[in-house]
Amino acid sequence: MKSGIQHGKTTLTVRLAFDCYDDTHYGSSQEQHAAERMALAGRLNSYLHCWRFDECATVLIRRTSRQFSQPGGIKVYEMEYTTTVADEIQNNES
C-alpha cells in the first residue's frame, strides 16, 4: 500500500443577505441601517478570515468582496475565500 498527499485549492463563497424593504420607507434612518449591515458583514469576515478548517493546509484568506442589490429590496454582501486542502490518498498495489 502506497500513500501520498493530494493538494488542491478550494474556494468558499459566503453571502449575507438582508431584506431592506422597510429601510426605504418614510421615517426610517437608511444610514443607520446601512451602517449596521456593513458592521455585520465586517464581523462575519473577522470570524472567517484566517479560520482553518480540519483537513485544510492553509487558513481562509479573503480574495474578493462585493455588495449588490437584488430585486425586492434585498442587499447582498458577498465574500470569497480561498484555502488549500491537503488530503491523504492511499493506493492499493498488489
Side-chain angles (χ1 to χ4, degrees):
M1 187 182 311
K2 189 175 183 181
S3 64
I5 301 290
Q6 181 178 4
H7 289 271
K9 186 175 181 180
T10 300
T11 302
L12 173 70
T13 302
V14 178
R15 292 182 187 102
L16 186 60
F18 296 93
D19 183 351
C20 300
Y21 180 78
D22 289 335
D23 295 359
T24 60
H25 286 75
Y26 178 77
S28 69
S29 61
Q30 292 180 12
E31 297 83 10
Q32 178 184 351
H33 292 288
E36 290 170 359
R37 290 191 299 268
M38 289 191 74
L40 286 172
R43 279 179 50 198
L44 178 59
N45 177 61
S46 70
Y47 293 142
L48 293 175
H49 189 73
C50 294
W51 178 267
R52 182 182 298 219
F53 290 100
D54 291 341
E55 306 300 324
C56 288
T58 60
V59 297
L60 288 175
I61 301 297
R62 184 171 58 176
R63 193 173 80 87
T64 62
S65 294
R66 70 180 184 131
Q67 303 171 21
F68 56 94
S69 297
Q70 294 275 314
I74 304 297
K75 180 73 173 188
V76 180
Y77 296 82
E78 180 181 89
M79 294 163 277
E80 185 177 284
Y81 299 86
T82 60
T83 186
T84 303
V85 179
D87 193 19
E88 186 174 341
I89 56 173
Q90 295 184 6
N91 296 326
N92 293 327
E93 294 182 1
S94 301

